[in-house]
Amino acid sequence: MSSENILEVSHLKQYFPVKNGFRTVPLKAVDDISFTIKPGETLGLVGESGCGKTTVGRTLLRLYQPTSGCIVFDGDVLYDSEKKIDVKMQPYRKQMQMVFQDPYSSLNPRMTVEDIIGEPLDVHKLYTSKGERHDKIMELMETVGLNAEHATRYAHEFSGGQRQRIGIARALAVDPKFIVCDEPVSALDVSIQAQVVNMFEDLQKQRGLSYLFIAHDLLVVQHISDRIAVMYLGHMMEIADADELMDNPIHPYTQSLLSAVPIPDPKTARKSQRIILEGDVPSPLKMPSGCPFRTRCRYATEQCACEMPPFTDRGNGHMVACWNK
Amino acid sequence: MKDNFKKAPFSAQIDLSKFSMQDFEKATDEEKRQQDVMGESTTFFKDGMRRLRRNPLAMLAIGILIALIIVIIFAPLVIPYGYADIMKGSANLHPFEYSASELKQIAKGESVFPHIFGTDSLGRDYFIRVIYGARVSLVVGIFASILVLMIGMLYGSISGYLGGRVDLVMMRIVDIIYSLPDMLLIILLAVVLNETLGSIIKGTIFAKLGTNMIALFIVFGLLYWVGMARLIRGQILTIKQNEYVLAAKCIGTSTSRTILKHILPNCLSVIIITTALQIPSAIFTESYLSFVGLGVSAPMPSLGSLANEARSGMMTYPERLLFPAFAICLIVLALNLLGDGLRDAFDPKLSR
Ligand SMILES: Nc1ncnc2c1ncn2[C@@H]1O[C@H](COP(=O)(O)OP(=O)(O)OP(=O)(O)O)[C@@H](O)[C@H]1O
Ligand code: SF4
Ligand SMILES: [Mg+2]
C-alpha cells in the first residue's frame, strides 16, 4: 500500500440490521466501496438522497462499526476486517474530523459557543491554562468568520450559516489533517452557500487540509473538488477527475445526473438532450440483482441483471462500474 | 456575466440586469458590523423562568408553598405547645376556646397562647399537630421523590444510552415491576418489617419514624422509580438521535462525559417537571397509608393519621377532619399547579 494517500478505503461495507416484519434483515447502506484521497486533495461525493453518502463518511471515521472492509489513514491501518485490526480511535480523533449535515441538530442547545468549540480542546487537553484555551477559541472563531464577542451565546441564537461556522470551528479545533464535510452547505441559503464553500477552500489552502466533500449538488462539488465520486444505492458507480467527469461522464447514472444540472451559460449548453430517469430508487432492502442501477438504466442488458459490473479503470484513473463499453 | 442571471417570472430575486455597477455602494465597516448585532442573550433557564413568571396559577402555587414552608418551619418555634404534649383538662376544645384552668390563668393576667384549631380528645393542641403532620407529609414526599429520581435516572440513562439487548432486558424488568400491586406490597412489607425490624430499631431515630415509614420508603425505592426510569430512557433515546451526540463521539468525548454534558442537560426539563409532579403523588400515597393506619407511628402525627383519628368524633368536631384534609388538598394542589406551570414553561414542545 502506498503511503502517498492520506486515506485509503477498500471494500468498505456497512450493513445496518433493521426489522422487517418479524425478521431482522441487513440494510446495505454502503456496499463494497473503495476510494483514495491524496493529501491536500478534495474528493467530492455525490449521489441521490439516501444512497449512503453520510454513512460512508461516518463509517470511515469509525462513528459506526464497519461490517467489513479496510480503512487506512496516513499509513496507519484503522480497521481491517480480514486481518482483524481494529485500533482505538482516540489518537486519530485529533487528525480526522467531521462537519455535519444539519447545523441545527449538530450543536448542543445547552452549551455556549465557547464550550462547543472548546470541547475538543478539553477532551484532548490541548491547552495548559484557562487563558490559552480562551485565546485558542477566539482565534478559531476569527478563522471561521464569527464575531468573537458572541462566544458566550447559545447555539440557537445563531443563523444557519453561523451555526455551520461553529461546527467548522469545532472540527478545526484539534487541527486535523482530514475533514469529512457532510453536505455542509445544503441546509443553507443559496447566498450563504458560496461564502461557506469559499471558506472551505481558503482553509484548505492555509492548512493543507484534505476533504471528503459530500453533496448532492453537482455544481458545488465541481467547484470545490479535485476528483468526484458518484454513488448509487450504496455502490460506487464512477470516480474521475472533476473536469473529466463533467465533460466525459461514462456511467449512465452520472450522465443522467449531469443532464439534470441546470447549465448557467446557455451558449455552452450541451447539445445532448435531458435524460429523464424513470422510476424510483429501489429500496436498499430490495436491492436489484447484478447492477444496482439496472432498473432505471437505458442500456441495461441481460448481463447487467446477472452480474455485478466490476469497477475498472477506463484510462487516466477514470474508474467506472458498468458493463456498457 | 450579467446575462447568466435571467430573472425568472414571479421570482423575488432582484433583476440585476436593470442595474449597473455604479448603482451600488460599498458597505462601510460600521454597516457591516451592524449585521453582527444580535438580540439580548437568553439562556434556556432565563427563558423558562420568564414564562413561569407570566403564569399566574404557578406563581400563586409558589406563593402558597413558600407561605406553607415558612409556617411549617417557624410555627413550632412560636407556639409553646409540643405535638405530643397532653394538657390535662384541655381535651376536646373547639378553635380558640380555652379550658377552665386556662381561663383562670388569663384572669390572673397571665397570657395563654390560643388553641387556634382547638385540641384533640387527649388534650393536645391541634394546630401544632397539623403543622407537624404537614411537615411529615412534605418531608416524606420530597425524600421519596428524590429516591425515585435517583434510582430512575440511573437506571433509565444506562438503559437508554446502552440500548440494544441491555435495554431490552432492563425494560422487561421494569415491565414486571410495573405489574406488581404496590399497595399490597406496602401492607405486606409493613407487617413483616414490624415483626422483624421493630425490636432492632428501638431507641434509634428510625423508631420515631416507625417501621411503616421504612416500608413506605422501601416500596418507593423498589417500585415507584419505574415510571421515572421509563420516561428518562425515552428521553435519552430521542436525544441520542441528535447529531451533537455523534459529534461528541467524533471529537473523542468519553461516554460518561457525553452523558453528563450532552444527554442529561437536555432532559433536565423533563426530570425537573416529573420530580415536581412526583412529590404530590408521594404525599398522597403517604396520607392514604396513614389514613388506613399504615403510616407514621403515634404520637408522631401525619395529615393522613390526623384525618383518621378525627373520624370518631366527626359529628361533634367536624373541624378536626377538615383541617388536615384541607392541608392535604392545599399542598397537593399547589404542587400540582407548580408542576404544570414548570411543564408549560420548560417543555419546548409545548412552547414554540
Ligand atoms: N443508523 C442507521 N440504522 C439503520 N439504517 C440507517 C442508519 N443510518 C442510515 N441508514 C439507512 O442507510 C441508507 C443511507 O443513508 P445515508 O444517511 O447514508 O444517506 P445519504 O446519502 O447521506 O442521504 P442524504 O442525502 O439524505 O443525507 C438510508 O436508506 C438510511 O435509511
Ligand atoms: S451495468 Fe448495465 S444496468 Fe448497470 S449502468 Fe451499466 S449498462 Fe446500466
Ligand atoms: Mg446524508
Side-chain angles (χ1 to χ4, degrees):
Chain A
M1 246 169 233
S2 59
S3 57
E4 67 183 62
N5 292 320
I6 190 150
L7 184 80
E8 293 178 11
V9 173
S10 38
H11 304 294
L12 187 68
K13 291 183 184 171
Q14 178 68 62
Y15 297 173
F16 294 112
V18 291
K19 289 224 167 60
N20 187 13
F22 293 103
R23 290 178 311 133
T24 306
V25 292
L27 186 153
K28 302 183 178 179
V30 172
D31 204 1
D32 207 349
I33 272 190
S34 308
F35 61 88
T36 59
I37 298 177
K38 293 194 189 70
E41 186 189 49
T42 302
L43 175 69
L45 183 60
V46 289
E48 276 166 295
S49 187
C51 70
K53 306 181 296 293
T54 299
T55 311
V56 170
R58 290 181 180 177
T59 308
L60 70 88
L61 287 181
R62 305 289 311 280
L63 298 178
Y64 298 147
Q65 181 66 14
T67 308
S68 72
C70 176
I71 304 166
V72 183
F73 177 76
D74 212 7
D76 298 346
V77 181
L78 300 186
Y79 179 81
D80 191 329
S81 56
E82 257 160 42
K83 296 195 196 116
K84 301 256 176 326
I85 300 175
D86 190 354
V87 299
K88 283 243 178 311
M89 282 301 289
Q90 196 66 15
Y92 296 98
R93 298 270 180 235
K94 266 192 285 192
Q95 302 183 42
M96 26 197 343
Q97 274 300 320
M98 182 153 186
V99 175
F100 288 84
Q101 186 167 359
D102 180 358
Y104 291 90
S105 94
S106 61
L107 304 177
N108 186 341
R110 299 278 182 278
M111 279 165 91
T112 59
V113 173
E114 190 169 7
D115 284 337
I116 290 173
I117 301 176
E119 181 163 33
L121 303 175
D122 298 340
V123 168
H124 295 285
K125 306 198 174 54
L126 295 178
Y127 54 87
T128 46
S129 65
K130 275 255 139 65
E132 194 185 341
R133 178 179 189 264
H134 183 77
D135 292 345
K136 280 196 170 178
I137 292 168
M138 292 301 129
E139 199 187 311
L140 283 162
M141 288 185 75
E142 210 115 293
T143 311
V144 297
L146 284 168
N147 188 340
E149 284 163 32
H150 297 155
T152 53
R153 302 269 176 154
Y154 287 81
H156 67 84
E157 300 173 52
F158 291 87
S159 69
Q162 288 172 319
R163 286 168 145 258
Q164 203 56 289
R165 288 167 195 266
I166 300 170
I168 296 167
R170 171 174 61 191
L172 290 176
V174 290
D175 205 6
K177 292 181 186 163
F178 169 69
I179 301 181
V180 174
C181 312
D182 185 5
E183 304 196 28
V185 296
S186 54
L188 305 181
D189 213 75
V190 184
S191 57
I192 296 166
Q193 282 190 358
Q195 289 176 16
V196 175
V197 169
N198 289 340
M199 192 175 83
F200 272 111
E201 282 187 318
D202 292 345
L203 287 170
Q204 182 166 42
K205 274 183 215 132
Q206 288 159 17
R207 304 185 169 221
L209 292 166
S210 317
Y211 292 139
L212 175 66
F213 197 96
I214 301 172
H216 55 237
D217 183 347
L218 260 172
L219 278 184
V220 170
V221 168
Q222 184 198 16
H223 179 74
I224 196 173
S225 307
D226 301 307
R227 287 189 303 138
I228 297 179
V230 181
M231 261 181 93
Y232 182 78
L233 263 188
H235 292 264
M236 197 61 96
M237 298 282 108
E238 185 164 9
I239 299 183
D241 285 346
D243 297 334
E244 160 80 5
L245 188 103
M246 300 301 274
D247 296 339
N248 179 28
I250 294 177
H251 199 281
Y253 178 60
T254 317
Q255 286 171 0
S256 66
L257 276 185
L258 277 175
S259 79
V261 171
I263 294 144
D265 193 349
K267 281 172 208 152
T268 60
R270 252 171 294 272
K271 276 159 209 82
S272 65
Q273 285 202 312
R274 259 194 91 168
I275 308 163
I276 300 186
L277 277 186
E278 278 162 32
D280 287 327
V281 190
S283 152
L285 287 174
K286 282 199 216 96
M287 201 74 84
S289 64
C291 173
F293 188 56
R294 74 175 167 81
T295 52
R296 299 164 82 191
C297 180
R298 299 190 298 168
Y299 309 109
T301 61
E302 199 82 345
Q303 190 183 20
C304 303
C306 307
E307 262 183 290
M308 178 78 203
F311 202 47
T312 50
D313 196 334
R314 302 279 177 97
N316 284 336
H318 193 146
M319 308 278 289
V320 181
C322 179
W323 290 117
N324 192 16
K325 296 294 170 198
Chain B
M1 193 64 189
K2 236 189 269 170
D3 38 49
N4 290 351
F5 292 97
K6 238 184 144 225
K7 185 172 153 54
F10 306 116
S11 128
Q13 198 187 332
I14 298 167
D15 190 351
L16 286 174
S17 61
K18 289 201 183 124
F19 297 95
S20 68
M21 221 42 215
Q22 284 84 45
D23 294 335
F24 294 98
E25 206 179 292
K26 266 202 161 180
T28 61
D29 277 350
E30 190 169 342
E31 280 167 330
K32 275 185 191 159
R33 226 171 298 127
Q34 273 179 352
Q35 295 262 302
D36 280 348
V37 175
M38 297 170 84
E40 204 195 319
S41 173
T42 59
T43 66
F44 170 72
F45 273 97
K46 266 198 223 156
D47 222 34
M49 287 314 283
R50 204 193 60 228
R51 252 171 286 161
L52 189 67
R53 248 179 274 128
R54 280 211 226 109
N55 183 341
L57 273 181
M59 292 318 286
L60 179 76
I62 291 176
I64 292 175
L65 284 174
I66 290 175
L68 260 174
I69 288 169
I70 290 174
V71 169
I72 283 171
I73 292 173
F74 293 106
L77 303 177
V78 176
I79 297 169
Y81 310 112
Y83 67 85
D85 294 353
I86 298 174
M87 286 161 282
K88 285 229 171 67
S90 298
N92 292 332
L93 295 176
H94 283 291
F96 291 104
E97 263 186 358
Y98 295 103
S99 64
S101 57
E102 279 166 352
L103 283 174
K104 259 185 233 160
Q105 281 181 308
I106 291 171
K108 270 193 256 163
E110 287 172 40
S111 72
V112 172
F113 202 87
H115 302 291
I116 300 170
F117 286 179
T119 58
D120 68 0
S121 56
L122 290 176
R124 294 176 291 197
D125 184 77
Y126 205 60
F127 183 65
I128 201 76
R129 284 186 70 72
V130 171
I131 294 284
Y132 268 94
R135 234 189 208 193
V136 168
S137 291
L138 264 181
V139 168
V140 168
I142 288 168
F143 277 97
S145 301
I146 290 174
L147 188 71
V148 164
L149 173 69
M150 299 291 236
I151 300 174
M153 199 163 81
L154 198 70
Y155 196 94
S157 47
I158 291 173
S159 181
Y161 189 81
L162 294 180
R165 203 157 292 162
V166 182
D167 181 45
L168 198 78
V169 172
M170 286 176 89
M171 280 303 117
R172 286 303 83 75
I173 294 174
V174 162
D175 287 343
I176 293 169
I177 293 176
Y178 221 75
S179 62
L180 295 177
D182 42 357
M183 280 305 156
L184 194 69
L185 265 173
I186 293 180
I187 294 167
L188 278 177
L189 252 172
V191 173
V192 172
L193 284 182
N194 215 355
E195 297 281 307
T196 54
L197 268 180
S199 52
I200 302 173
I201 61 167
K202 203 162 260 168
T204 64
I205 31 164
F206 292 115
K208 226 175 179 180
L209 265 173
T211 49
N212 288 339
M213 271 295 112
I214 296 173
L216 181 75
F217 272 100
I218 291 177
V219 169
F220 264 99
L222 281 178
L223 303 185
Y224 277 54
W225 55 268
V226 288
M228 182 69 87
R230 263 189 184 168
L231 203 96
I232 288 176
R233 166 187 171 267
Q235 272 285 300
I236 285 182
L237 282 183
T238 44
I239 288 168
K240 237 174 50 172
Q241 304 291 321
N242 282 314
E243 277 185 344
Y244 58 79
V245 176
L246 212 61
K249 188 174 178 186
C250 187
I251 285 165
T253 312
S254 64
T255 305
S256 55
R257 193 186 153 111
T258 305
I259 293 185
L260 281 178
K261 284 245 161 181
H262 295 280
I263 295 183
L264 284 183
N266 281 290
C267 48
L268 203 62
S269 53
V270 172
I271 293 174
I272 293 173
I273 294 159
T274 329
T275 312
L277 289 170
Q278 182 81 50
I279 298 173
S281 115
I283 289 177
F284 209 78
T285 309
E286 186 274 334
S287 303
Y288 168 80
L289 286 171
S290 296
F291 186 77
V292 295
L294 288 167
V296 290
S297 43
M300 178 76 99
S302 110
L303 293 175
S305 61
L306 287 175
N308 184 31
E309 284 162 25
R311 274 185 316 147
S312 47
M314 208 165 78
M315 287 304 154
T316 35
Y317 304 102
E319 71 270 11
R320 281 192 209 154
L321 183 59
L322 286 180
F323 289 133
F326 182 68
I328 295 174
C329 289
L330 198 66
I331 293 173
V332 171
L333 185 71
L335 283 168
N336 272 324
L337 285 178
L338 176 63
D340 282 346
L342 283 174
R343 188 180 52 212
D344 292 348
F346 285 98
D347 200 327
K349 263 172 235 115
L350 283 175
S351 62
R352 246 183 264 164

